[in-house]
Amino acid sequence: ISDEDAKAKKPVAIVRGPVRKILIAERTALNVMSRASGIATAAREMAEIKAAHNWHGEVAATRKTTPGFAIVEKYAVLVGGCSTHRMTLSQMVMLKDNHVWSVGSIPDAVKKARRAAGFSSKIEVECRDLDEAIQAATAGAEVVMLDNYEPEDLKVDAAKLKEQFPHVLIEASGGITETTAPGYFSPHVDVLSMGKLTQGYGALDFSLKIQR
């Protein structure tokens, strides 16, 4: 590279050790740094958008992570200033459409989940409309996800649900991006979840140079 290009680059770490071992680990380390930095950058952008709109809630990643790499991706989300949602599947029960359909109804699914998880675990239910959300909250779900809503429709249903169940956390989810996120910010919405944080991020370009 040219001297001008070299000056434009910024060192982020210095590694010392046997050259052979450094070169063996080079590509793995750079791949991890590139992807984690891309996630952290995307999370930081969302944290800044949230702050600019003075929104009270949490912007969270989802379980849409790379198999075997989830802990790194979730850590990068935290570094960027957003929330991980769940670190593992054991931290909260999430009932999605397939779970509900396999049991028969939202109330029955919540009842069975409570019996299995006990009193100490939260239960979240994915809901497509206000009727399903009311069923979930009535059955005892602590978190209700309003999924694949248009922003204005979500705000209306979130307000109605919060008025009836003020203790329930309301999560907005479904194709939300940094461009559309502000439209979902509402005093009645507590969590905004975005699969894009760990699924559609850009990777930063890092390189390793041995000093001669």
Side-chain angles (χ1 to χ4, degrees), residues 135-202:
Q135 288 185 53
T138 302
E142 289 88 357
V143 186
V144 170
M145 177 195 293
L146 300 180
D147 195 34
N148 292 320
Y149 267 72
E150 292 298 322
E152 293 308 313
D153 294 334
L154 180 131
K155 290 177 180 178
V156 171
D157 282 2
K160 292 178 180 177
L161 187 65
K162 205 71 166 178
E163 182 179 11
Q164 190 172 347
F165 303 94
H167 63 285
V168 169
L169 290 178
I170 298 177
E171 175 181 342
S173 186
I176 299 172
T177 68
E178 65 276 6
T179 302
T180 61
Y184 291 89
F185 293 158
S186 162
H188 308 294
V189 175
D190 304 291
V191 181
L192 204 70
S193 58
M194 299 174 59
K196 186 179 179 183
L197 288 177
T198 56
Q199 194 179 42
Y201 57 89

Side-chain angles (χ1 to χ4, degrees), residues 11 18-19 21 36 45 57 63 66 85 87 89 93 98 114 117 124 136 139 147-148 151 154 159 199 201-202 205 209:
V19 172
K21 291 186 177 181
E45 181 180 356
R63 64 177 183 170
T66 307
H85 204 290
M87 287 299 291
L89 295 179
V93 177
N98 287 328
R114 180 65 66 201
E124 177 172 9
D147 195 34
N148 292 320
L154 180 131
Q199 194 179 42
Y201 57 89
D205 186 19
K209 298 300 178 185

Side-chain angles (χ1 to χ4, degrees), residues 14-153:
I14 297 175
V15 181
R16 294 183 175 88
V19 172
R20 179 176 177 276
K21 291 186 177 181
I22 290 175
L23 294 179
I24 287 174
E26 174 186 4
R27 180 43 52 195
T28 300
L30 292 178
N31 286 346
V32 171
M33 290 176 61
S34 295
R35 286 158 176 74
S37 296
I39 292 171
T41 299
R44 174 60 63 188
E45 181 180 356
M46 274 309 307
E48 290 174 349
I49 291 173
K50 168 191 163 181
H53 288 79
N54 197 31
W55 183 55
H56 74 285
E58 295 279 351
V59 177
T62 70
R63 64 177 183 170
K64 295 175 182 176
T65 53
T66 307
F69 199 61
I71 191 68
V72 176
E73 292 173 333
K74 288 177 178 290
Y75 176 71
V77 169
L78 291 175
V79 170
C82 289
S83 174
T84 63
H85 204 290
R86 294 179 294 171
M87 287 299 291
T88 68
L89 295 179
S90 66
Q91 289 191 320
M92 180 171 65
V93 177
M94 180 179 286
L95 300 175
K96 299 176 72 67
D97 50 8
N98 287 328
H99 303 116
V100 172
W101 295 337
S102 67
V103 173
S105 70
I106 287 176
D108 286 344
V110 173
K111 183 178 179 180
K112 287 195 172 188
R114 180 65 66 201
R115 187 186 308 136
F119 69 90
S120 61
S121 295
K122 288 184 177 180
I123 295 174
E124 177 172 9
V125 182
E126 178 187 270
C127 301
R128 298 168 297 177
D129 53 43
L130 182 59
D131 178 62
E132 289 187 349
I134 291 173
Q135 288 185 53
T138 302
E142 289 88 357
V143 186
V144 170
M145 177 195 293
L146 300 180
D147 195 34
N148 292 320
Y149 267 72
E150 292 298 322
E152 293 308 313
D153 294 334

